[in-house]
Amino acid sequence: MHRLRRPSSLPPGARNYLTPGGAQRLREELDRLLNAERPRLAASTLDEDRRQLQSTDERIERLQQSLHTAVVVQPPTAPDDQVRFGATVTIRNLRGEETHYRIVGVDETDTDRDWVSWLSPVAKALLNARVGQLVRIKLPGGEEQLEVAGVAYE
């Protein structure tokens, strides 16, 4: 039986960029699923574990596909004040309030940590900006003009 491949969450033609840390986290998750979680679930006779095995297999397939197509982007070797992939960007609004966003790959996105995909509107507005530059960003509350206050890389 031939399984249909799940489509990538990337738009057609987009590269699957990952930070070095993101690629490492995905490899570690894949290793844990293949060597610990999947064997445990496969050995179980419980219905709930059988259902969980199917979703674990789907996650394994997505991780393998992501890692196979990944383009790992190294941070700049010298200090850089320009926003590039992998940067943690500090932005400041007109009231002086600061927010931090980290620009990461689609498979690394974590809104709880303010890690945004390089394809997101926030990242697109910030990419290639420099410290001190004003950028316009569309946020849920409307469009805002923000200053790039800092750029750091892992």
Side-chain angles (χ1 to χ4, degrees), residues 2 4-5 11 27-28 31-32 41 49 60 66 70 73 75 78 91 99 105 117 124 133-134 136 152-153:
H2 186 282
L4 289 176
R5 247 199 200 307
R27 281 191 293 274
E28 289 168 359
D31 183 62
R32 180 183 57 77
L41 293 169
D49 285 348
I60 287 169
S66 179
V73 179
I91 56 174
T99 305
S117 160
K124 285 181 177 183
Q133 185 175 339
L134 296 176
R136 294 187 95 50
Y153 294 90

Side-chain angles (χ1 to χ4, degrees), residues 48-98:
E48 179 58 33
D49 285 348
R50 290 287 178 197
R51 283 189 291 275
Q52 185 63 36
L53 178 61
Q54 182 179 357
S55 67
T56 298
D57 283 343
E58 289 171 2
R59 178 66 181 156
I60 287 169
E61 187 176 335
R62 282 193 304 275
L63 287 167
Q64 289 172 329
Q65 182 180 5
S66 179
L67 288 166
H68 178 73
T69 61
V71 177
V72 178
V73 179
Q74 298 297 325
T77 54
D80 194 348
D81 74 340
Q82 187 171 15
V83 179
R84 300 183 193 284
F85 180 85
T88 298
V89 185
T90 303
I91 56 174
R92 185 179 304 125
N93 65 21
L94 299 176
R95 296 176 299 286
E97 300 163 332
E98 291 186 349

Side-chain angles (χ1 to χ4, degrees), residues 123-141:
K124 285 181 177 183
L126 293 171
L127 282 168
N128 297 315
R130 294 189 176 278
V131 172
Q133 185 175 339
L134 296 176
V135 295
R136 294 187 95 50
I137 297 180
K138 291 180 183 173
L139 298 170

